[in-house]
Amino acid sequence: MVPLDWNGEGRIGLRIEVYGCSYWADVISFDGHVVLPYRFRNKKMKTLKDVIALKFKTTESEGVILHGEGQQGDYITLELKKAKLVFSLNLGSNQLGPIYGHTSVTMGSLLDDHHWHSVVIERQGRSINLTLDRSMQHFRTNGEFDYLDLDYEITFGGIPFSGKPSSSSRKNFKGCMESINYNGNNITDLARRKKLEPSNVGNLSFSCVEPYTVPVFFNATSYLEVPGRLDQDLFSVSFQFRTWNPSGLLLFSHFADNLGNVEIDLTESKVAVHINITQTKMSQIDISSDVFQDLPSL
C-alpha cells in the first residue's frame, strides 16, 4: 500500500476492509545472472495469437524480462530501460524490400520501486494490447506479416549468451516475478516442479527476498544527520538518489580537528564533489561528473 497524498498536518487517516479468498502465487527470484528458458516441443513455434502475463518487482532500472527470437528475424522482447517498460516486436522484415517490421512501445516510469507491477501482452496478428497495471495501450505492429516465428525457446529473466551483440549488451533481470503465464502454460509452476532447466550461471529461488535498503524522502528543509567515527583516517560514503531537481546539496561533512570539509552536490544536473583542506597548499579539490543525474531513476 503506497499513500499517494498527505494532509496539511502531515498525517494520513486510513480505514481498510479486506474481502476475498486465499491466494497462492508462485514466485521466482532472479539474481541477475540466471535465465529461465521455456523450450518448445517442436523446434519452431509459429503463432498467430499470443497471451503473455506476469507480475514483477525490482529495484533495478535495467533488465530483460522476457525474450524470444527466430532465425527469420522475428523477435519479441519485454525489458526495463531507465525504469520504463519497453516492449519490442518484429513479425518479420524484408531486407531486400520496403517491409520493416520492428515495433517498439514504451510504458510507465519509476518501475524500479520494488512494488509489484502486472503486465499482460495480448496479440492477435498485428493487433496488440499491452497492459501495465491498470493502463492499456492498443497499437498495430509495423510490417505486413501476422505470424510470430520463434526458434527453440522463449526465455524469462534475460537473453542467453549466443555471441550476438544483443545477448551481451543487455542486462539480465534482477528481482522477482510472479504468476508467469505464456499461452496457457504456467511457467512458474513448471519451474517449481523442475520441468524447466534454468541456465547453469546464477541462482534461481522460489521466494522473494526484501531488500535491506530503506528509502528516505527529503523536502526542501529536511536533512539526515549521522554521527561520524572518531580516530578514523579514512572517509568513505556511498548512496543512491533520485530527484527531478537540477541542483541541491547531497552530503556535507566537517573533517576532525578543523582540517577541512567535503561537500557533494548537484549543480546544473551534474554531480560535483568539493574537498576543502586547510593544512595544505592545494586548499580545494573540485570534481564534477559529465553525466546528467536529474532523472527519475536511481
Side-chain angles (χ1 to χ4, degrees), residues 26 28 36-39 186-198 204-206:
D26 286 323
I28 299 179
L36 182 64
Y38 172 73
R39 295 185 173 91
N186 190 331
I187 303 299
T188 43
D189 180 65
L190 292 174
R192 181 181 290 274
R193 293 190 289 115
K194 298 183 179 180
K195 299 296 184 180
L196 305 180
E197 297 181 5
L204 191 73
S205 60
F206 298 96

Side-chain angles (χ1 to χ4, degrees), residues 33 56 169 240:
H33 301 284
F56 73 89
S169 60
Q240 294 178 307

